[in-house]
Amino acid sequence: MNAEFTQDAPLLDVQGLKTVIHLPDGAWPAVDGIDFTVQRGEVLGLVGESGSGKSVTGFSIVQLMDSPAEVIAGRVLFNNEDLRLASEERLRSLRGNRIAMIFQDPLMTLNPVLSIGEQMAEAILEHRDVGRQEALRAAADALVRVGISLPEARLRQYPHEFSGGMRQRVAIATAMLNAPDLIIADEPTTALDVTIQSQILFEVQKLARDSGTAVIWITHDLAVVAELADRVAVMYSGRIVEIGPVDEVLDRSRHPYTLGLLRSSAAMVEPGQRLNQINGMAPRIDARPSGCPFRTRCDRAMSICAEQDPTPTIDGRHGFRCHNPMPQRDAA
Amino acid sequence: MTADIETFAKTAEANTPLRMQVLRNIRNRPTASGAAIAIAILVLLALLAPVITPQNPYDLASLSVMDNRLAPGETGMTGITYWLGTDAQGRDMLSAILYGLRTSLLVGLTATAGALAIGSVAGLLAAHFGGAVDALLMRIVDFMLGFPSILVALILLSSIGRGVDKVVVAIMLVQWAQYARLMRAAALVERRKEYIEAALNFGLPTRHILLFHLLPNSIGSVLVVASISVASAITLEATLSFLGVGVPVTQPSLGLLIANGFEFLLSGQYWIAVFPGIALVLLVMSLNLLGDRLRRSFNVRGP
Amino acid sequence: MSETFFELRDVSRYFRSKPSLTQRIVTALGRTGPPPALRAVDDVTLRIRAGEVVGLVGESGCGKSTLARVATGILPPSAGEVFYKGRPVTELTGKDRLNYLLKVQMVFQDPYASLNPRMKVGQLVGEALRVHKLVPKNEVGERTRGVLKEVGLDLGYMDRYPHQFSGGQRQRIGIARALAVEPDFLVCDEPVSALDVSIQAQVINLFMDVRERRGLTYLFVSHDLGVVRHISDRVAIMYLGRIVEIGTAAELFAKPAHPYSQALIRAIPSAVTRRRRAFTPLKGELPSALSPPPGCAFHPRCEHAMPICREVRPPLVQISPDRSAACHLHSTSESV
């Protein structure tokens, strides 16, 4: 990926994005003012636990937030066009064509009364000037790429004839069909088996490399991000607490939360040893502590962490929000 | 919509007990809260009828035949002002309606409770044991639901005779089947959940699992439907009484009062039939409105 | 010397879908046979020694959760026999059967579905103690508080309902409920896969602490190979209802013998070791358990498949002192 060449014109530029959830006792920020960019052909891993706001971020970018959630601030520049100001019609056309979404639940994108072939061919014919036969051939190719054998027979089947994992692979294949500018994928492989997951990660990387598609891969799994992403953004309590190139963030983590997640992996200790756990649990959206939201679970917390919300520190391409970051160190 | 939003929504749920959520749901709807207030008033009036009515309409000694068919607002020989008029026996309509309300509510509530009990047990047994038990019980249910309930109740009552207890039995018999079907469907879903497997893993007795695990978790939707069905039980009773096979004349319900006033309707003495009719409509409509709100807030589909 | 602590011997578990009316008519007319049975678990033998942790790994639909339910007595086996402390459990009755059910406890996957939503935590954890009168009535509360404390829950939570807890806390409640009846064998069915990453480590640590304190034996079922490698002494790998390889965790992960084990281990992503590596996909689909391929069930996807693999099902044979595999590659090399 040619970072220097595209540095001044990111495909997606998100600034100060803030999305609140309206609950009976008030509006609470699910996404609390986040900034990041995605270049063409770049895979950004958006990592966080449930309730961190990572999925809401994905939906907020394409303005797919319904009540009780509402985007209340920020800019989402896609090819220099602010999606927050775009008309519903314009957004629909972008979502079908230049921006593809892959959801946790594939049934959100598949039409139950159309065969897989009809849906996939439809998606191609809408945006490309090709014949029906050619569209079906392209659809079959896409199915093979996500590890579905006998694609011609599969194209004649309907979504209900597929297992959950197969449906998800069809949804992923459909998203990849038109080589869109941006794919936003929300935990798409969480329910899939590891052998299939690794195949899909491989294909997504290839798509990004070959057709310059940018990908935002939303997941709770740092290991997936390590394999797939060029850059990673770690979310906690609605903020991005650390962002940067994968090697930087994973090998030279500055935020204690990122490091805690990495160190809690079973691979970090000898078999049979206790794992390094992060104590406590993420605060609920309506009970976040003052200052830094991670401080109640953090073993590096100082008194200032309770008083002041840490502002982002930028160190080259590596950014983090912490009053007492891990010291800078060389790669292990 | 997304996993995140679900997580956030659970925050709100965890804070508020279900009762509170339902209450809030009702309070925020003017029709539902209006219906709830109307029901409360009607039930209170029915309960207090012996205390607040100017006369006991079924104590023949306190009636005066001379006061018969007085128009609303007239004062009779006994010195009582009949605000809703009197009937052919000189009975105060207001008192008769309040006593009738008592009978209607009593029949509606006990019949529903009985049908609910029978249906729940049948549905639970069918779901838990499956196989032949399930097949037998559900064929009976299909059979029961295949006939119009008014027809079954009419045939039953014409063979066993009139009486408050008999009307209750008849309504129970025609209504239990719907609860059985609902209960079975709910219990079949619950039975697959892991907490039932855990109960099996602890070797807990079947009776215990049915009573403490399956029943409390399956009965929610059935109770909601029951709350709506009180209204239909009352309507059914009114219909049967109107047709003369329901409650006895000594203990008239709203339906029987309407029947009694029916013959005078064309001669201009409308109050004898119309006022009990208004009371019945008010009661049934309020029950329906509130039940419908309950159904929506519990997200239950109707029978 | 001593009897095997726990054994599944030639255990199978089939699921037969109830035939519809049309199917029954067609069958009665002699047009077709009865619908095929789904062989969720197919002729599995597994011996577990007292005090060890056996990991059971496989992808969705391989039958590992069904095997866990057969082991705990929640589901009876369709064929074969389960032995607990040397006695076949189907022959146990009354007190002996209850003893087996209680001693072999299960921890479930879904922390939301595995706790009765209408019971308070205290009731839920003490239920079996009360119903079976395992301890005097006045000691139920004490025992309940004891296990709740052991799993790291605040005692103030006794009067709360499950919906007021997070996933991790609920899983702790599920573990406390199992520990309350003092089991010696815990069968854990994907106990951390529904939890958040930072909570998974806490619960895995809890499992390890509890085991050390109580000297428990575990059958740890999971699709997460990293977790299984970490916690297990021995690991069994399942594919389409059968165990294809079993051996000590360290050896099996270092040098998997069965081609399926190799593909599975190759596919584990890791934040630590590998990054954006070359990728060799496992070809084909997981076949339906309703009609598994003849011979070795893995042969359509196996890069080493030989003619014999299409015809003869390879038995699980010992290939080294601590390792068995069901693969013709190994059985032939042995016979040569």
Side-chain angles (χ1 to χ4, degrees):
Chain A
M1 183 204 36
N2 194 336
E4 284 69 42
F5 183 68
T6 48
Q7 198 69 62
D8 49 357
L11 174 73
L12 182 74
D13 187 355
V14 176
Q15 291 169 18
L17 183 66
K18 185 165 182 174
T19 303
V20 295
I21 311 276
H22 295 282
L23 295 178
D25 53 347
W28 303 94
V31 175
D32 199 1
I34 60 171
D35 315 281
F36 65 92
T37 60
V38 187
Q39 308 290 337
R40 281 178 199 284
E42 180 178 59
V43 181
L44 174 75
L46 196 57
V47 184
E49 300 182 86
S50 52
S52 64
K54 60 184 191 304
S55 298
V56 175
T57 301
F59 283 90
S60 300
I61 290 171
V62 286
Q63 311 297 309
L64 266 178
M65 289 285 35
D66 295 330
S67 169
E70 185 192 356
V71 182
I72 57 164
R75 285 202 296 171
V76 180
L77 297 178
F78 176 73
N79 274 331
N80 284 319
E81 175 185 359
D82 192 344
L83 298 185
R84 278 199 68 205
L85 306 175
S87 68
E88 192 46 48
E89 196 183 348
R90 171 73 182 143
L91 285 169
R92 234 193 321 269
S93 124
L94 279 174
R95 285 198 291 258
N97 189 6
R98 302 325 315 158
I99 304 176
M101 298 283 295
I102 307 172
F103 302 99
Q104 233 166 343
D105 177 6
L107 292 178
M108 280 180 78
T109 34
L110 297 178
N111 184 338
V113 300
L114 293 180
S115 74
I116 297 297
E118 287 170 65
Q119 309 191 29
M120 293 183 72
E122 197 58 42
I124 295 175
L125 292 172
E126 222 170 277
H127 305 294
R128 272 193 270 166
D129 188 22
V130 293
R132 198 172 174 76
Q133 283 312 308
E134 199 174 324
L136 281 172
R137 247 196 317 278
D141 284 346
L143 288 185
V144 171
R145 286 199 306 210
V146 293
I148 294 178
S149 50
L150 301 175
E152 285 79 13
R154 292 300 192 178
L155 285 175
R156 282 191 293 274
Q157 291 182 312
Y158 289 83
H160 70 88
E161 296 176 75
F162 284 54
S163 69
M166 284 282 264
R167 272 183 222 142
Q168 186 60 289
R169 286 146 80 182
V170 171
I172 293 170
T174 310
M176 289 166 55
L177 271 181
N178 291 320
D181 292 336
L182 176 64
I183 293 180
I184 299 175
D186 184 14
E187 299 262 12
T189 58
T190 303
L192 300 182
D193 289 323
V194 280
T195 54
I196 292 162
Q197 170 177 281
S198 76
Q199 172 152 18
I200 285 168
L201 299 188
F202 174 75
E203 288 298 336
V204 168
Q205 263 176 338
K206 207 167 104 195
L207 181 77
R209 203 170 46 231
D210 298 350
S211 19
T213 297
V215 179
I216 297 177
W217 198 267
I218 299 166
T219 177
H220 67 276
D221 193 343
L222 269 175
V224 165
V225 163
E227 285 209 355
L228 175 73
D230 303 304
R231 279 166 69 233
V232 54
V234 180
M235 287 192 74
Y236 190 83
S237 287
R239 304 125 197 255
I240 292 180
V241 295
E242 183 156 14
I243 184 167
V246 158
D247 295 331
E248 277 287 318
V249 171
L250 298 191
D251 292 340
R252 289 177 284 276
S253 318
R254 303 297 300 276
H255 199 284
Y257 176 63
T258 314
L259 192 70
L261 281 183
L262 281 167
R263 288 179 50 203
S264 69
S265 154
M268 290 300 286
V269 293
E270 289 293 305
Q273 299 291 305
R274 291 186 101 246
L275 301 177
N276 306 308
Q277 63 182 47
I278 305 177
N279 289 322
M281 53 188 166
R284 285 195 337 210
I285 190 171
D286 57 349
R288 287 180 181 157
S290 63
C292 170
F294 185 61
R295 68 176 167 86
T296 48
R297 306 174 73 187
C298 182
D299 49 17
R300 296 176 63 83
M302 307 179 301
S303 55
I304 187 175
C305 302
E307 292 150 18
Q308 259 177 44
D309 196 0
T311 50
T313 310
I314 310 290
D315 177 5
R317 299 180 62 204
H318 192 160
F320 48 90
R321 284 177 83 162
C322 181
H323 288 301
N324 187 16
M326 307 303 298
Q328 209 164 4
R329 63 195 168 102
D330 295 327
Chain B
M1 180 158 77
T2 72
D4 263 0
I5 302 257
E6 278 166 32
T7 312
F8 295 132
K10 278 193 197 108
T11 305
E13 266 174 43
N15 282 341
T16 342
L18 190 61
R19 290 192 293 283
M20 298 299 291
Q21 290 178 40
V22 171
L23 269 181
R24 185 158 55 204
N25 214 328
I26 289 170
R27 215 178 304 143
N28 290 344
R29 305 278 163 160
T31 43
S33 45
I37 293 167
I39 291 170
I41 292 173
L42 288 172
V43 168
L44 206 65
L45 286 175
L47 282 176
L48 297 178
V51 188
I52 55 171
T53 50
Q55 63 170 216
N56 179 348
Y58 304 106
D59 176 11
L60 291 175
S62 70
L63 304 185
S64 160
V65 190
M66 304 297 286
D67 284 347
N68 78 19
R69 289 189 264 163
L70 292 177
E74 284 185 43
T75 306
M77 308 275 293
T78 45
I80 303 172
T81 306
Y82 299 114
W83 293 109
L84 297 183
T86 62
D87 70 0
Q89 274 93 46
R91 188 180 281 128
D92 172 35
M93 280 316 293
L94 179 65
S95 308
I97 287 170
L98 293 187
Y99 274 83
L101 203 58
R102 258 166 101 82
T103 310
S104 287
L105 275 170
L106 177 77
V107 170
L109 290 173
T110 43
T112 303
L116 181 70
I118 301 173
S120 300
V121 171
L124 211 55
L125 293 177
H128 187 77
F129 291 104
V133 179
D134 186 23
L136 178 71
L137 283 169
M138 285 304 117
R139 286 308 78 76
I140 298 175
V141 165
D142 289 341
F143 182 80
M144 296 299 299
L145 293 179
F147 287 98
S149 45
I150 181 77
L151 188 69
V152 177
L154 265 174
I155 295 169
L156 262 169
L157 283 173
S158 41
S159 53
I160 58 176
R162 297 171 77 152
V164 169
D165 49 343
K166 286 166 184 155
V167 176
V168 168
V169 169
I171 296 175
M172 257 160 59
L173 285 179
V174 298
Q175 288 205 332
W176 71 274
Q178 59 164 336
Y179 300 119
R181 187 174 271 181
L182 272 171
M183 188 66 175
R184 174 178 175 272
L188 279 178
V189 173
E190 288 299 318
R191 216 170 70 92
R192 275 176 239 265
K193 293 198 177 160
E194 285 180 343
Y195 70 88
I196 299 290
E197 291 189 310
L200 292 170
N201 192 198
F202 281 112
L204 299 177
T206 303
R207 193 166 33 97
H208 182 90
I209 295 178
L210 286 178
L211 219 57
F212 292 98
H213 293 271
L214 213 44
L215 179 70
N217 287 294
S218 313
I219 203 157
S221 57
V222 184
L223 281 178
V224 172
V225 171
S227 75
I228 301 170
S229 296
V230 173
S232 65
I234 289 174
T235 325
L236 184 58
E237 180 277 327
T239 313
L240 292 168
S241 298
F242 183 83
L243 295 175
V245 293
V247 295
V249 271
T250 51
Q251 209 176 344
S253 66
L254 293 174
L256 191 56
L257 291 179
I258 298 169
N260 289 343
F262 193 57
E263 55 179 306
F264 307 107
L265 208 53
L266 291 177
S267 49
Q269 283 133 357
Y270 65 90
W271 59 88
I272 309 180
V274 166
F275 288 135
I278 290 172
L280 182 65
V281 167
L282 197 64
L283 177 63
V284 169
M285 204 172 70
S286 307
L287 283 168
N288 272 332
L289 285 174
L290 186 67
D292 200 49
R293 193 69 239 158
L294 278 178
R295 187 173 62 77
R296 277 168 206 238
S297 44
F298 284 105
N299 202 10
V300 177
R301 281 191 296 149
Chain C
M1 38 153 272
S2 69
E3 77 229 345
T4 311
F5 173 70
F6 191 85
E7 181 178 356
L8 299 162
R9 192 182 294 168
D10 305 324
V11 163
S12 298
R13 172 70 205 194
Y14 310 137
F15 292 102
R16 214 176 282 280
S17 60
K18 237 161 110 185
S20 68
L21 185 63
T22 12
Q23 279 172 324
R24 267 185 291 176
I25 292 170
V26 172
T27 312
L29 293 173
R31 289 301 161 104
T32 59
L38 180 118
R39 292 164 170 257
V41 173
D42 192 8
D43 205 12
V44 165
T45 296
L46 179 64
R47 281 182 205 86
I48 296 172
R49 295 184 277 266
E52 75 173 338
V53 178
V54 175
L56 186 62
V57 193
E59 299 185 269
S60 48
C62 75
K64 55 191 193 299
S65 291
T66 306
L67 191 71
R69 281 163 175 74
V70 172
T72 49
I74 293 173
L75 285 175
S78 308
E81 190 61 78
V82 179
F83 295 86
Y84 172 64
K85 292 193 169 164
R87 295 177 66 187
V89 302
T90 43
E91 288 171 18
L92 299 176
T93 51
K95 254 192 147 54
D96 289 339
R97 173 152 177 88
L98 182 62
N99 180 58
Y100 150 69
L101 285 174
L102 295 178
K103 286 293 176 192
V104 181
Q105 275 300 312
M106 182 131 167
V107 176
F108 294 88
Q109 171 174 16
D110 184 346
Y112 294 88
S114 60
L115 305 177
N116 184 340
R118 307 265 163 193
M119 285 171 91
K120 290 176 180 168
V121 170
Q123 296 174 314
L124 200 130
V125 172
E127 185 183 24
L129 299 175
R130 257 180 294 115
V131 176
H132 294 307
K133 302 190 172 60
L134 299 177
V135 294
K137 222 177 195 162
N138 53 1
E139 286 171 30
V140 170
E142 194 182 321
R143 172 85 73 91
T144 307
R145 282 190 291 275
V147 286
L148 284 175
K149 215 156 109 189
E150 183 174 353
V151 300
L153 283 173
D154 194 310
L155 295 184
Y157 292 161
M158 296 265 288
D159 288 326
R160 295 207 192 165
Y161 287 95
H163 75 92
Q164 294 170 290
F165 293 91
S166 70
Q169 288 171 317
R170 287 180 205 219
Q171 206 54 309
R172 286 175 196 268
I173 296 168
I175 296 168
R177 176 177 61 182
L179 293 181
V181 298
E182 310 214 303
D184 50 23
F185 184 25
L186 273 195
V187 177
C188 314
D189 182 22
E190 301 263 12
V192 297
S193 61
L195 304 180
D196 262 326
V197 186
S198 75
I199 306 300
Q200 285 191 5
Q202 295 175 0
V203 174
I204 289 166
N205 281 343
L206 175 62
F207 274 116
M208 295 200 294
D209 295 345
V210 165
R211 180 197 173 207
E212 202 170 283
R213 198 158 41 230
R214 295 184 170 238
L216 297 180
T217 307
Y218 285 163
L219 177 63
F220 201 91
V221 178
S222 179
H223 72 279
D224 184 335
L225 287 96
V227 166
V228 166
R229 169 162 54 184
H230 185 76
I231 199 170
S232 310
D233 300 314
R234 287 195 301 142
V235 172
I237 294 183
M238 265 184 105
Y239 185 75
L240 272 187
R242 302 174 68 92
I243 290 179
V244 295
E245 183 167 2
I246 180 166
T248 57
E251 263 188 67
L252 195 150
F253 278 93
K255 232 180 137 234
H258 195 284
Y260 176 66
S261 318
Q262 292 166 1
L264 203 59
I265 289 169
R266 218 168 34 219
I268 321 175
S270 162
V272 185
T273 51
R274 282 162 295 178
R275 218 158 284 168
R276 276 158 287 161
R277 65 212 148 84
F279 170 78
T280 30
L282 182 59
K283 63 178 177 180
E285 307 285 331
L286 185 71
S288 159
L290 278 169
S291 54
C296 171
F298 188 60
H299 85 256
R301 307 175 72 186
C302 181
E303 49 190 329
H304 307 292
M306 305 175 286
I308 184 175
C309 302
R310 278 181 268 283
E311 284 145 30
V312 183
R313 187 147 76 177
L316 189 65
V317 293
Q318 194 165 32
I319 56 170
S320 69
D322 255 326
R323 186 93 67 96
S324 301
C327 178
H328 287 302
L329 286 175
H330 297 281
S331 44
T332 45
S333 65
E334 194 186 39
S335 58
V336 168

